[in-house]
């Protein structure tokens, strides 16, 4: 009886326990049976696509040749990325990455992914489906394996959505083609690719095709119609190369070497560009050398009565609008005067006082004698006539003629010389550049003077500046606080106690180039002596380097009235991205920087605003071959 009972129990156990275990292991065997490829299964699991969201794919883990499952890859590259390499299947328009901006969905997907990686349950498909359903993701469908032939992509699939096309940059395809070329060249340099003649030949062919399609294109509209097809073909070839080169280490090493080489080349080119730009800024085109020679010859052929300007009685009338312009550039001075007069409501009330050096004095006079500025009054003076301006009176004049200053300028070949080439511009050696600090001495009978640089263009009537109340300040100027390098600490040496004790390093700078000066307040506050005192303290250039803006910031510290920014727009000589609206609305635009409008390095889109005030049909201009 007991024996029978034992057989019954064993039978029941075999039905309820052993049979399910056997069935269970048989079911699991379908996953681990060597006759079926485990990688095929893993490839399918690693290629999920969320239904209802065709723009988002999951690359759950990297496909491996061995049976060991590894952790998910930390970074999955997008086929739209300009710098991503190696890439995933490029036949997909969208990225295979869990979006960092969609953290909620990523968190929902983390559990099923971890189940797959850390240890598969008996029925993986059921487990994943249950987790996805629990996470409110409605459906999952399998995507084709990357190694299978990809379906043909219709050309309209690329940026087919109107919003996508509007949001893409204008050079998106150009950048992608360039990225493809870089990746192809990296592959071609790897030993595993070199040992595969078929892939090597195909990649070289694709490189030629893409290079030919790319040409000199800078934006997508410059590309030929066949560029899209070439891009697709290159993507397929790169995918083949990726299958051959499955180890990322050589690729990383090659890219790192390319990056280091590019950075070194960039550094060298930047240094050369800086040197050549500074050199170009110091020189004048051949035509501007010819022009003063022709004008000087013509001037001395005139008799004395023909060498005088009309309306000289207006030169000391304080009721008129007086301008101070110190320049040795004839064309630049002409543009300043022409643009100012053309926008003046009452040109006859405007008086221009031009001071130049001895070499250009005759030529400057001849230009304005032959091209008078309408009803406005012109005065041209030679700085040599200012006998009061000598080294005994002016410390800066004494410093400019000192052996140490000359040595500073001409020792550029020495290793210990200053590396900042801009301070070796000859303009810093010219007293014309420092004449702005002697306005009351030059104009003893005037109350207000508008100082203008010769690299400006006037776009509106400026007469309103003379009626401004400067509220006891000496200098009216536009502040330049928009960028950090326009603060005091950019120009002055705050490691010196004389500077740090007297000035605020974060104080706003202001612009020289269009400044209204109250000469009565200047005289009352003895500003010239303030300037002299600081120049004597800076005889060894320990407080600031050369130039006129640093001593101007010091001299007019707490004596500057801030003008509205619409009076003066700066940066047209160095910044190609000046706000267009600011340029349009500005009364004065300033080509401060090295890219002066009369040089070949001028920024093209700003040049027309200057050249339209130059009459290129004048005989002297044609003879000197000066063209727009």
């Amino acid at each position: 009886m007991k024996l029978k009972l034992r057989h019954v129990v064993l039978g029941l156990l075999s039905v309820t326990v052993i049979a399910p275990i056997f069935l269970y292991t048989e079911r699991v065997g379908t996953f681990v049976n060597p006759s079926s490829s485990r990688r095929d299964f893993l490839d399918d699991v690693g290629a999920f696509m969320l239904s209802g969201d065709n723009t988002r794919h999951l690359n759950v883990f990297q496909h491996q040749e061995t049976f060991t499952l590894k952790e998910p890859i930390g970074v999955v590259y997008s086929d739209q990325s300009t710098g991503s390499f190696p890439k995933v299947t490029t036949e997909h328009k969208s990225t295979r990455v869990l979006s960092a901006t969609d953290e909620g969905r990523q968190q929902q997907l983390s559990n099923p992914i971890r189940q797959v990686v850390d240890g598969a349950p008996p029925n993986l498909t059921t487990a994943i489906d249950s987790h996805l359903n629990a996470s409110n993701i409605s459906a999952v469908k399998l995507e084709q394996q990357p190694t299978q032939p990809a379906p043909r992509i219709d050309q309209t699939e690329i940026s087919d959505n109107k919003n996508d096309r509007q949001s893409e940059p204008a050079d998106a395809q150009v950048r992608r083609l360039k990225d493809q070329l870089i990746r192809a060249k990296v592959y071609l340099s790897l030993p595993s690719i070199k040992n595969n003649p078929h892939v090597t030949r195909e990649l070289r062919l694709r490189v030629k095709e893409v290079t030919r399609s790319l040409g000199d294109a800078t934006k997508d509209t410059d590309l030929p119609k066949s560029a899209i097809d070439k891009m697709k073909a290159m993507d397929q070839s790169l995918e083949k190369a990726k299958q051959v080169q499955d180890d990322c280490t050589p690729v990383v090493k090659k890219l790192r070497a390319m990056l280091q080489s590019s950075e070194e080349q960039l550094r060298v080119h930047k240094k050369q560009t800086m040197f050549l730009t500074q050199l170009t800024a110091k020189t004048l085109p051949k035509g501007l050398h010819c022009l003063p020679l022709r004008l000087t010859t013509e001037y001395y052929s005139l008799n004395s009565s023909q060498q005088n300007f009309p309306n000289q009685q207006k030169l000391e009338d304080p009721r008129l609008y007086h301008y101070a312009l110190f320049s040795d550039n004839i064309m630049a001075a002409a543009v300043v005067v022409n643009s100012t007069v053309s926008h003046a409501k009452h040109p006859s009330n405007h008086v221009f006082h031009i001071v130049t050096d001895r070499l250009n004095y005759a030529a400057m006079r001849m230009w304005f004698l032959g091209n008078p500025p309408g009803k406005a009054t012109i005065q041209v003076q030679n700085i040599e006539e200012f006998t009061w301006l000598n080294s005994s009176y002016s410390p800066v004049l004494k410093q400019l003629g000192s052996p140490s200053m000359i040595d500073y300028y001409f020792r550029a070949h020495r290793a210990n010389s200053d590396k900042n080439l801009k301070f070796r511009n000859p303009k810093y050696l010219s007293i014309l550049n420092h004449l702005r600090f002697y306005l009351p001495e030059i104009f003893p009978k005037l109350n207000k003077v508008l100082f203008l640089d010769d690299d400006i263009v006037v776009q509106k009537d400026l007469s309103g500046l003379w009626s401004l109340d400067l509220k006891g300040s000496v200098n009216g100027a536009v502040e330049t606080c928009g960028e950090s390098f326009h603060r005091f600490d950019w120009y002055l040496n705050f490691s010196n106690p004389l500077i740090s004790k007297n000035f605020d390093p974060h104080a706003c700078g202001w612009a020289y180039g269009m400044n209204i000066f109250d000469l009565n307040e200047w005289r009352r506050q003895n500003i010239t002596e303030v300037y002299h005192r600081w120049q004597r303290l800076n005889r060894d250039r320990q407080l600031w380097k050369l130039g006129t803006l640093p001593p101007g910031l010091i001299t007019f510290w707490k004596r500057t009235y801030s003008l509205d920014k619409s009076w003066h727009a700066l940066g047209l000589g160095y910044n190609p991205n000046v706000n267009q609206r600011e340029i349009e609305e500005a009364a004065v635009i300033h080509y401060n920087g090295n890219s002066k409008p009369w040089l070949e390095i001028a920024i093209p889109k700003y040049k027309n605003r200057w050249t339209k005030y130059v009459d290129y049909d004048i005989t002297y201009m044609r003879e000197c071959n000066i063209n727009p």
Side-chain angles (χ1 to χ4, degrees):
M1 186 68 181
K2 290 182 179 179
L3 183 60
K4 290 183 180 181
L5 182 61
R6 182 178 298 175
H7 285 298
V8 172
V9 171
L10 289 174
L12 291 174
L13 286 173
S14 66
V15 173
T16 59
V17 177
I18 299 175
I21 293 175
F22 175 78
L23 293 173
Y24 170 79
T25 54
E26 283 293 312
R27 191 171 187 180
V28 173
T30 61
F31 296 105
V32 298
N33 188 349
S35 63
S36 64
S37 172
R38 182 169 183 172
R39 178 175 178 177
D40 290 344
F41 167 74
L42 296 179
D43 286 345
D44 287 339
V45 174
F48 283 113
M49 181 174 72
L50 303 182
S51 66
D53 188 0
N54 292 331
T55 64
R56 199 174 301 277
H57 303 272
L58 301 180
N59 194 8
V60 181
F61 48 79
Q62 189 177 22
H63 307 303
Q64 300 291 331
E65 296 294 343
T66 65
F67 291 99
T68 304
L69 295 180
K70 295 186 176 182
E71 290 293 323
I73 303 172
V75 178
V76 183
Y77 293 92
S78 161
D79 67 341
Q80 297 291 340
S81 172
T82 57
S84 60
F85 182 78
K87 279 190 179 180
V88 296
T89 305
T90 53
E91 292 298 323
H92 299 136
K93 171 191 167 194
S94 57
T95 177
R96 285 189 178 202
V97 62
L98 291 176
S99 173
T101 60
D102 199 356
E103 295 180 359
R105 175 173 287 175
Q106 185 172 353
Q107 183 64 32
Q108 291 170 355
L109 293 175
S110 62
N111 290 336
I113 293 174
R114 184 55 56 193
Q115 289 288 341
V116 173
V117 175
D118 291 342
N123 191 335
L124 286 177
T125 305
T126 304
I128 292 174
D129 286 342
S130 63
H131 278 287
L132 292 176
N133 291 332
S135 303
N136 296 324
I137 299 178
S138 60
V140 174
K141 71 176 182 178
L142 293 178
E143 182 182 327
Q144 286 187 331
Q145 299 179 20
T147 56
Q148 293 179 354
R152 177 179 179 85
I153 295 181
D154 186 60
Q155 186 169 344
T156 58
E157 181 181 344
I158 299 179
S159 299
D160 188 55
N161 185 278
K162 183 176 180 180
N163 294 330
D164 290 343
R165 290 198 300 269
Q166 291 177 348
S167 62
E168 283 186 354
D171 61 346
Q173 293 179 3
V174 171
R175 291 162 61 186
R176 184 176 173 187
L177 287 170
K178 291 180 179 179
D179 180 56
Q180 286 182 331
L181 287 176
I182 294 173
R183 295 170 56 210
K185 291 175 182 178
V186 171
Y187 274 134
L188 286 170
S189 67
L190 301 178
S192 59
I193 302 298
K194 291 180 180 179
N195 294 332
N196 191 319
H198 175 72
V199 175
T200 300
R201 283 195 301 270
E202 183 174 338
L203 276 178
R204 286 176 178 170
L205 176 62
R206 299 299 180 226
V207 168
K208 290 181 181 179
E209 292 175 348
V210 171
T211 302
R212 194 179 298 114
S213 295
L214 190 59
D216 298 326
T218 57
K219 53 184 183 295
D220 293 350
T221 54
D222 298 334
L223 294 172
K225 294 181 179 179
S226 62
I228 297 296
D229 294 332
K230 303 300 182 187
M231 186 187 302
K232 293 177 182 178
M234 175 64 93
D235 278 338
Q236 293 175 357
S237 298
L238 290 172
E239 183 62 26
K240 293 179 182 178
K242 177 187 170 186
Q243 298 300 324
V244 174
Q245 177 61 47
D246 56 355
D247 184 5
C248 291
T249 303
V251 178
V252 171
K253 289 181 179 179
K254 182 64 179 178
L255 288 174
R256 184 177 290 115
M258 291 175 63
L259 178 61
Q260 292 173 349
S261 175
S262 299
E263 288 177 344
E264 178 61 21
Q265 291 180 17
L266 178 62
R267 186 189 66 80
V268 171
H269 286 309
K270 285 176 68 176
K271 187 174 181 180
Q272 291 176 346
T273 301
M274 182 185 71
F275 175 79
L276 293 174
T277 301
Q278 294 293 341
L279 182 63
T280 306
K282 295 176 184 180
T283 60
L284 281 178
K286 186 186 297 184
L288 295 187
H289 280 293
C290 166
L291 184 61
L293 295 176
R294 292 285 296 109
L295 290 168
T296 300
T297 302
E298 190 74 19
Y299 178 77
Y300 285 113
S301 68
L302 301 176
N303 59 49
S304 58
S305 62
Q306 294 175 313
Q307 294 177 352
N308 297 322
F309 290 103
N311 302 321
Q312 295 300 285
Q313 72 278 3
K314 293 183 177 182
L315 297 180
E316 296 180 346
D317 188 345
R319 296 170 299 177
L320 302 179
Y321 307 127
H322 294 266
Y323 300 84
L325 175 61
F326 309 139
S327 175
D328 57 1
N329 187 324
I330 296 167
M331 276 186 63
V335 168
V336 173
V337 173
N338 291 344
S339 62
T340 304
V341 172
S342 65
H343 292 95
K345 294 179 180 178
H346 305 287
S348 60
N349 293 334
H350 295 257
V351 182
F352 296 89
H353 304 268
I354 300 174
V355 181
T356 189
D357 56 20
R358 179 172 53 187
L359 291 176
N360 293 281
Y361 174 69
M364 190 76 75
R365 289 183 67 89
M366 186 64 218
W367 176 269
F368 286 105
L369 285 170
N371 304 279
K375 297 180 180 180
T377 301
I378 285 285
Q379 179 189 31
V380 177
Q381 295 177 278
N382 183 355
I383 194 172
E384 303 290 338
E385 298 173 359
F386 299 156
T387 55
W388 50 267
L389 187 59
N390 51 60
S391 58
S392 299
Y393 174 67
S394 172
V396 69
L397 193 59
K398 184 177 181 179
Q399 292 170 18
L400 291 177
S402 66
S404 62
M405 187 68 72
I406 294 173
D407 181 60
Y408 176 79
Y409 271 91
F410 295 100
R411 68 174 185 177
H413 62 283
R414 298 186 186 179
N416 61 346
S417 62
D418 196 306
K419 294 181 180 179
N420 197 335
L421 296 176
K422 77 174 186 176
F423 293 124
R424 290 192 170 81
N425 194 310
K427 72 178 183 178
Y428 295 122
L429 279 175
S430 173
I431 190 60
L432 281 175
N433 199 44
H434 298 267
L435 206 57
R436 63 193 69 189
F437 293 100
Y438 298 100
L439 292 174
E441 288 80 5
I442 299 172
F443 309 111
K445 296 185 178 180
L446 299 182
N447 300 327
K448 280 187 177 181
V449 167
L450 182 64
F451 170 79
L452 297 177
D453 265 341
D454 64 358
D455 55 352
I456 64 105
V457 170
V458 177
Q459 300 187 130
K460 295 181 180 180
D461 179 59
L462 301 180
S463 57
L465 288 169
W466 277 265
S467 60
L468 285 177
D469 181 6
L470 300 183
K471 302 186 183 302
S473 295
V474 178
N475 172 29
V478 170
E479 288 185 341
T480 54
C481 294
E483 301 174 73
S484 60
F485 65 86
H486 286 148
R487 305 283 179 171
F488 268 47
D489 59 354
W490 182 261
Y491 302 100
L492 305 177
N493 178 18
F494 275 87
S495 64
N496 190 295
L498 274 175
I499 297 295
S500 59
K501 201 166 50 172
N502 290 281
F503 305 102
D504 178 7
H506 303 295
C508 290
W510 43 266
Y512 250 137
M514 191 217 68
N515 308 77
I516 184 72
F517 288 106
D518 187 331
L519 300 186
N520 290 330
E521 281 295 326
W522 187 311
R523 299 181 187 102
R524 190 180 67 81
Q525 299 183 34
N526 200 9
I527 297 299
T528 304
E529 181 53 35
V530 174
Y531 169 70
H532 283 172
R533 179 166 60 86
W534 281 103
Q535 282 289 1
R536 284 191 289 266
L537 292 172
N538 192 47
R539 58 183 175 272
D540 55 358
R541 296 185 303 280
Q542 295 301 309
L543 305 184
W544 69 86
K545 297 294 184 183
L546 300 179
T548 53
L549 183 54
L553 297 176
I554 287 178
T555 301
F556 298 104
W557 168 248
K558 295 185 177 180
R559 300 180 178 94
T560 299
Y561 177 81
S562 179
L563 300 179
D564 188 273
K565 290 185 180 296
S566 62
W567 282 109
H568 192 182
L570 296 105
L572 279 72
Y574 70 90
N575 182 8
N577 299 311
V578 179
N579 185 282
Q580 187 64 28
R581 183 176 178 181
E582 291 181 6
I583 295 175
E584 296 290 344
E585 295 179 352
V588 168
I589 55 175
H590 196 169
Y591 293 82
N592 56 312
N594 286 324
S595 301
K596 301 300 183 187
W598 54 84
L599 298 177
E600 291 184 1
I601 59 173
I603 300 174
K605 66 179 181 179
Y606 302 145
K607 192 169 183 177
N608 182 61
R609 293 180 176 272
W610 187 85
T611 56
K612 68 180 180 180
Y613 295 105
V614 180
D615 187 356
Y616 291 97
D617 293 328
I618 296 175
T619 303
Y620 307 120
M621 305 287 280
R622 293 199 304 269
E623 290 177 348
C624 291
N625 198 28
I626 299 176
N627 301 301

